[in-house]
Amino acid sequence: MAASVRLLLCTAFRRSSCRPFSLTAGVPAGSKWRAENNLARSGTEYGPLTDLPDWSFADGRPAPLMKGQERRNKEREEFARRVVALSKEVDRGMQRWRERKEEEKAMDEKKKSNLLKPKGNLLLKKNK
């Protein structure tokens, strides 16, 4: 398929020396290595080059945040809020599950206590 497309393009351009080209998707350099070492897919996702300001005032005051930094901070804050909300939801679910287990256990105990008791000779044999 790729060879036929290349041939078609070469004939379409009518060049005497057609340069070969690739139709495959480009792979970011080093992304496999970064993934294996638990780093960002690219060098611009997070880290000191993207998180720290580019400059500061001579008297030491910090520079105002850039738009990208503000956007990333907002996204991180929203993500943290969502994590906390989902964590609370899981905790409530686990608490409700424990309560249900306790209720089921109490119901089983109640059912066992309401069963008919042995009488007469069976009660005497059981106590021995």
Side-chain angles (χ1 to χ4, degrees):
M1 173 73 186
S4 62
V5 171
R6 184 174 12 179
L7 181 63
L8 178 66
L9 290 174
C10 286
T11 56
F13 290 121
R14 299 278 183 208
R15 292 187 179 169
S16 60
S17 62
C18 185
R19 293 183 186 178
F21 61 92
S22 175
L23 296 176
T24 60
V27 178
S31 65
K32 183 179 177 185
W33 179 86
R34 287 188 194 102
E36 290 171 355
N37 291 298
N38 297 327
L39 298 172
R41 290 176 294 176
S42 69
T44 59
E45 287 186 12
Y46 59 85
L49 293 178
T50 56
D51 295 336
L52 297 177
D54 293 336
W55 56 276
S56 63
F57 290 102
D59 60 0
R61 290 180 292 149
L65 294 177
M66 302 288 188
K67 289 181 183 178
Q69 290 172 324
E70 289 177 357
R71 179 185 47 81
R72 283 189 295 277
N73 288 344
K74 185 178 179 183
E75 288 173 357
R76 289 176 186 152
E77 184 178 338
E78 290 173 3
F79 182 73
R81 288 182 194 278
R82 181 157 169 76
V83 166
V84 169
L86 292 175
S87 177
K88 287 180 181 178
E89 187 176 329
V90 167
D91 291 341
R92 284 192 304 263
M94 290 298 293
Q95 182 64 30
R96 182 67 184 136
W97 177 78
R98 285 188 206 105
E99 291 171 359
R100 284 186 184 166
K101 284 292 187 185
E102 290 174 5
E103 290 173 4
E104 288 176 8
K105 196 174 185 180
M107 287 294 287
D108 289 343
E109 293 293 327
K110 186 177 180 182
K111 285 179 185 178
K112 286 180 183 178
S113 68
N114 287 340
L115 290 176
L116 295 174
K117 307 288 188 253
K119 295 183 180 179
N121 291 335
L122 293 174
L123 181 61
L124 293 174
K125 289 180 184 177
K126 192 173 185 180
N127 287 339
K128 288 185 179 180

